[in-house]
Amino acid sequence: MDPSSDAAANEQEALKPSLTDESTPYEEALLKQISDIENRIKQIELGMASPTAIPPGIRAKMHALRKLQLQIVDKEAKFHRMAHEMEVAFQDEFNECHEAISRIVNGLEVPELPAESDECTDDAADQPKGVPEFWLTVLKSSFLDVLVQETDEPALRALTDVRSVLKNEPEPGFLLEFHFASNDFFTNEVLTKEYFLRCAPDPEAPSKFNGFEIYRCTGCTIDWKPGQNLNVQTHTESEGGPARVEPVNSFFNFFEPEKHTNADFGEAYNVALLECDFHHGYYIKETVIPRAVFLFLGENVSLNENWSNCCCDRCLHPDSLEDVDPSTTPENQDATSSHATNLAQTKEVQQAEF
Amino acid sequence: MDPSSDAAANEQEALKPSLTDESTPYEEALLKQISDIENRIKQIELGMASPTAIPPGIRAKMHALRKLQLQIVDKEAKFHRMAHEMEVAFQDEFNECHEAISRIVNGLEVPELPAESDECTDDAADQPKGVPEFWLTVLKSSFLDVLVQETDEPALRALTDVRSVLKNEPEPGFLLEFHFASNDFFTNEVLTKEYFLRCAPDPEAPSKFNGFEIYRCTGCTIDWKPGQNLNVQTHTESEGGPARVEPVNSFFNFFEPEKHTNADFGEAYNVALLECDFHHGYYIKETVIPRAVFLFLGENVSLNENWSNCCCDRCLHPDSLEDVDPSTTPENQDATSSHATNLAQTKEVQQAEF
């Protein structure tokens, strides 16, 4: 039996009413919901019902129907996990194309025009090596344009590839890899950002289940060369006085998600920033990478309205973080939103009909 | 080799530049796009380029990259078709639950409360048969509430089940079945609406590919009992004068999609009406059926923002069609939108992360 069926079987098990004193949190939540339904039925019996509400005297039927409804949700979760496994297995097919794109972009392979073209073949000697600034152009042609500052561009010119690795073990998620050529700003060859997914109904609100959702991400440590940290700006107050280091907006903030949350702001603000980051990560996986050439060529990529609706302060007021005090940088950047971002509502491309 | 791989292989074949005089429309579209790219490169060479536009002298690379991009899109289409096949195969698992729900709702099975419940078991003799008005309540608790007129309610009380059948042959799609008990309005036992899906990049705009989309639907003929047609209203102008039959809004309009398009209105209006119908059909498949019990119990179902955004005249002004002249009713209702509705943008539940 595969792991996903096991998980589904375990959840089915958890649906059974507790017969012992040791209730799991899931069982307790279910019992609470049964109690909520009973309270609602009592309200109806007291004449507080709306015209279309549940008729009285059908409590046993409601219990049985709700149990079947929860089984449907569990089966959906099982189906989503199967589809995720299928996508993990399928990614090699896409990677063949991404590898070929990378070879051309980085000048490891120089293609020739098709023989039947009436144009003269370009003289390879006249050409620049590969496609200069391919990934910088892709980023600036995408929705992520707002994140790229002018001061980031010299570093992003060294961006040679962007890849995503879809995972199922040890837990579902995807790793974004940004590969860089040697540059003046940092010594890392690859900067990474990892997103973690979950696909299980919330026992407190099973009716809101909507497939996989991102609930956590981790960045990486950027090994900046001296004085080249694009994520901060250093102000010297006065001659000989203490230098003041302030965080500034930069595309490279993306790799330090802890900076997206700040104790000086309210929880709602921080949640919005992190959800925005989840959108950005998912957008890179679903659009920037699989539509890179279309973006580079300026061909309109199908855009889900949700992308234009990102209304967090970071997107609306990109300068709003500039006066924030710097926070210390932990070894591994890690951020968890108290509100996960459901992929069903941010899905844009590469999406099947189910 | 399965049919979907065949289709993908055929499309790969179509990507190869034409070596004969007999170009297919797909090849012609590709050649036109190559010509468009060449024109754009010429513009760049004339100094009309934006700072991040394509550098000159890399025409062969652009050809090769775009070919790889089209391969990625074709592989995505193949993946979507595989996922659709998986969903078709998986639907039996869901149907077990829907069958069990139907038996309870229609009184064919009378469940008992769990033994450990501290409530007395309901006396079956005191209960109504099944769950009266279950499906009417579900519809009125859903987004489709706006479609249900007061005059529809007596007929919808006879609604005993709503099911969807997902298909792959002869073409991908889904059939919605509305099962009715004997009633005063029509003699049909089942009213149906079928939606047809396609999953192939548009050769004219491959960058807009976004998975499966609904492009056509067919309704059914309702065998109304005399004088009971809920889709029309009969006015007698004067004593002995000719009766005037006007179409009116009714939930049962849903089964006559040709009435959603009307020659008296502009194309944009008719396209909006039909796209709205596609949303409704997809919503029934993805939410009304798989979340019926949650809707009945009034538990909040996760709603994609797109649903509240339906802004076609039919939804905003439900009475706007009342003055429209009646059109004749063909034997089989059939409607095709000039703009298909992409499922990726209307997806709400039962959605995998890929």
Side-chain angles (χ1 to χ4, degrees):
Chain A
M1 192 181 246
D2 66 50
S4 64
S5 328
D6 269 338
N10 289 342
E11 283 175 63
Q12 293 295 327
E13 212 48 44
L15 285 179
K16 293 183 183 165
S18 171
L19 296 173
T20 72
D21 288 342
E22 293 172 10
S23 299
T24 67
Y26 191 41
E27 284 168 338
E28 278 167 17
L30 285 178
L31 290 171
K32 183 180 172 299
Q33 283 177 329
I34 289 172
S35 145
D36 287 349
I37 294 174
E38 285 171 349
N39 288 339
R40 203 174 309 145
I41 291 171
K42 276 179 196 141
Q43 285 182 327
I44 292 164
E45 287 171 343
L46 288 169
M48 295 164 70
S50 69
T52 59
I54 308 162
I58 53 172
R59 201 174 301 131
K61 288 170 194 160
M62 290 304 107
H63 278 289
L65 287 175
R66 195 165 190 286
K67 201 173 157 187
L68 287 163
Q69 176 69 82
L70 293 175
Q71 280 176 16
I72 289 174
V73 172
D74 281 332
K75 285 178 188 207
E76 281 176 16
K78 178 183 164 187
F79 179 75
H80 289 310
R81 289 189 294 262
M82 283 168 57
H84 181 79
E85 278 177 37
M86 193 168 92
E87 192 189 1
V88 170
F90 198 84
Q91 66 183 333
D92 286 347
E93 284 217 30
F94 290 121
N95 281 340
E96 284 172 24
C97 295
H98 294 306
E99 192 57 42
I101 288 171
S102 175
R103 282 198 302 272
I104 294 171
V105 163
N106 294 301
L108 303 177
E109 188 176 319
V110 181
E112 291 186 5
L113 276 176
E116 76 279 13
S117 168
D118 58 357
E119 302 277 336
C120 296
T121 304
D122 295 297
D123 183 351
D126 289 345
Q127 291 184 24
K129 184 168 176 292
V131 183
E133 303 184 19
F134 178 83
W135 284 103
L136 171 60
T137 308
V138 169
L139 288 177
K140 292 188 72 177
S141 305
S142 82
F143 170 70
L144 299 181
D145 185 29
V146 292
L147 301 185
V148 178
Q149 312 298 312
E150 217 176 309
T151 45
D152 295 330
E153 297 197 12
L156 288 173
R157 283 193 188 102
L159 185 56
T160 58
D161 207 355
V162 182
R163 293 289 188 92
S164 80
V165 182
L166 196 64
K167 298 177 172 187
N168 209 19
E169 299 295 340
E171 59 176 311
F174 59 92
L175 177 71
L176 299 178
E177 298 175 343
F178 290 71
H179 296 256
F180 285 87
S182 150
N183 63 74
D184 294 339
F185 298 87
F186 45 81
T187 58
N188 315 56
E189 290 183 358
V190 185
L191 299 180
T192 60
K193 180 91 169 260
E194 185 157 12
Y195 289 89
F196 299 91
L197 308 176
R198 65 185 170 203
C199 179
D202 175 359
E204 298 277 340
S207 65
K208 295 201 180 299
F209 178 68
N210 204 356
F212 273 94
E213 57 185 7
I214 299 176
Y215 72 100
R216 190 167 73 91
C217 66
T218 58
C220 67
T221 301
I222 305 179
D223 299 317
W224 297 106
K225 294 185 177 176
Q228 297 286 48
N229 188 338
L230 293 164
N231 283 339
V232 297
Q233 197 163 20
T234 307
H235 302 270
T236 310
E237 290 289 317
S238 58
E239 204 67 45
R244 194 161 52 88
V245 178
E246 278 185 347
V248 290
N249 282 320
S250 159
F251 179 77
F252 294 93
N253 290 177
F254 180 71
F255 301 101
E256 295 179 334
E258 101 293 348
K259 287 208 174 143
H260 290 215
T261 62
N262 192 295
D264 291 350
F265 291 83
E267 194 201 340
Y269 177 86
N270 285 319
V271 165
L273 283 186
L274 204 50
E275 287 187 353
C276 185
D277 175 80
F278 290 176
H279 280 115
H280 293 161
Y282 192 63
Y283 176 74
I284 291 169
K285 172 188 179 289
E286 293 287 310
T287 301
V288 172
I289 297 172
R291 294 290 182 273
V293 177
F294 283 145
L295 286 167
F296 181 82
L297 292 172
E299 294 186 45
N300 272 338
V301 166
S302 176
L303 284 179
N304 187 312
E305 281 168 27
N306 284 317
W307 294 116
S308 54
N309 287 345
C310 191
C311 55
C312 83
D313 274 7
R314 182 175 178 76
C315 285
L316 290 180
H317 311 290
D319 299 328
S320 64
L321 284 185
E322 286 191 357
D323 295 328
V324 173
D325 284 339
S327 57
T328 55
T329 306
E331 192 64 16
N332 279 304
Q333 319 302 331
D334 189 319
T336 305
S337 168
S338 61
H339 292 86
T341 295
N342 192 282
L343 301 192
Q345 289 173 8
T346 59
K347 189 150 285 301
E348 185 175 354
V349 294
Q350 227 175 317
Q351 176 168 49
E353 177 287 309
F354 61 81
Chain B
M1 192 181 246
D2 66 50
S4 64
S5 327
D6 270 338
N10 290 342
E11 283 175 64
Q12 293 296 326
E13 212 47 44
L15 285 179
K16 293 184 183 164
S18 172
L19 296 173
T20 71
D21 289 341
E22 293 173 11
S23 299
T24 67
Y26 191 42
E27 285 167 338
E28 277 167 18
L30 285 179
L31 290 171
K32 182 180 172 300
Q33 283 176 329
I34 289 172
S35 144
D36 287 348
I37 295 173
E38 285 170 349
N39 287 338
R40 203 175 308 145
I41 291 171
K42 276 179 195 139
Q43 285 183 327
I44 292 164
E45 287 171 344
L46 288 170
M48 295 163 70
S50 69
T52 59
I54 308 161
I58 53 170
R59 201 173 300 131
K61 288 170 194 159
M62 290 304 107
H63 278 289
L65 286 175
R66 195 166 190 285
K67 200 173 156 187
L68 287 163
Q69 175 69 83
L70 293 176
Q71 280 176 17
I72 289 174
V73 172
D74 280 332
K75 285 177 187 207
E76 281 177 16
K78 178 183 165 187
F79 179 76
H80 289 310
R81 289 189 293 262
M82 283 167 58
H84 181 79
E85 278 178 36
M86 193 167 93
E87 192 189 1
V88 170
F90 199 84
Q91 66 183 332
D92 286 346
E93 284 218 30
F94 291 121
N95 281 340
E96 283 172 24
C97 295
H98 294 305
E99 192 58 41
I101 288 172
S102 175
R103 282 198 302 271
I104 294 171
V105 163
N106 294 300
L108 303 177
E109 187 176 319
V110 181
E112 291 186 6
L113 277 175
E116 76 279 13
S117 168
D118 59 356
E119 302 277 336
C120 296
T121 304
D122 295 298
D123 183 351
D126 289 346
Q127 292 185 24
K129 185 168 176 291
V131 183
E133 303 185 19
F134 178 83
W135 284 103
L136 171 60
T137 308
V138 169
L139 288 177
K140 292 188 72 177
S141 305
S142 82
F143 170 70
L144 299 182
D145 185 29
V146 291
L147 301 185
V148 178
Q149 313 298 312
E150 217 176 309
T151 46
D152 295 330
E153 296 196 13
L156 288 173
R157 284 194 188 102
L159 185 55
T160 58
D161 207 355
V162 182
R163 294 288 189 93
S164 79
V165 182
L166 196 64
K167 297 177 174 188
N168 210 18
E169 299 295 340
E171 59 176 311
F174 58 92
L175 176 72
L176 299 178
E177 298 175 343
F178 289 71
H179 297 255
F180 285 87
S182 149
N183 63 74
D184 294 339
F185 298 87
F186 45 81
T187 58
N188 315 56
E189 290 183 358
V190 185
L191 299 181
T192 61
K193 180 91 169 259
E194 186 157 11
Y195 289 88
F196 299 91
L197 308 175
R198 65 185 170 204
C199 179
D202 176 358
E204 298 276 340
S207 65
K208 296 202 179 298
F209 178 68
N210 204 356
F212 273 94
E213 58 185 7
I214 300 176
Y215 72 100
R216 190 166 74 91
C217 66
T218 57
C220 67
T221 301
I222 305 179
D223 300 317
W224 297 106
K225 294 185 177 176
Q228 296 287 48
N229 188 338
L230 293 164
N231 283 338
V232 297
Q233 197 162 19
T234 307
H235 302 270
T236 309
E237 291 288 318
S238 57
E239 204 67 45
R244 194 161 53 88
V245 178
E246 278 186 346
V248 291
N249 282 320
S250 159
F251 179 77
F252 295 92
N253 290 177
F254 180 70
F255 301 101
E256 295 179 334
E258 101 293 349
K259 286 207 175 144
H260 290 215
T261 61
N262 192 295
D264 291 350
F265 290 85
E267 194 201 340
Y269 177 86
N270 284 320
V271 165
L273 283 186
L274 204 50
E275 287 187 352
C276 185
D277 175 80
F278 291 175
H279 281 115
H280 293 161
Y282 192 62
Y283 176 74
I284 291 169
K285 171 188 179 290
E286 293 287 310
T287 301
V288 172
I289 296 172
R291 294 290 181 273
V293 176
F294 282 145
L295 286 167
F296 181 82
L297 292 172
E299 293 187 45
N300 272 338
V301 166
S302 176
L303 283 179
N304 187 312
E305 282 169 27
N306 284 316
W307 295 115
S308 54
N309 287 345
C310 190
C311 56
C312 83
D313 273 7
R314 183 176 179 76
C315 285
L316 290 180
H317 311 290
D319 299 328
S320 64
L321 284 185
E322 286 191 356
D323 296 328
V324 173
D325 284 339
S327 56
T328 56
T329 306
E331 192 63 16
N332 279 304
Q333 318 302 331
D334 189 319
T336 305
S337 168
S338 61
H339 292 87
T341 295
N342 192 282
L343 301 192
Q345 289 174 7
T346 59
K347 188 150 285 301
E348 185 175 354
V349 295
Q350 227 175 316
Q351 175 167 49
E353 177 287 310
F354 61 82

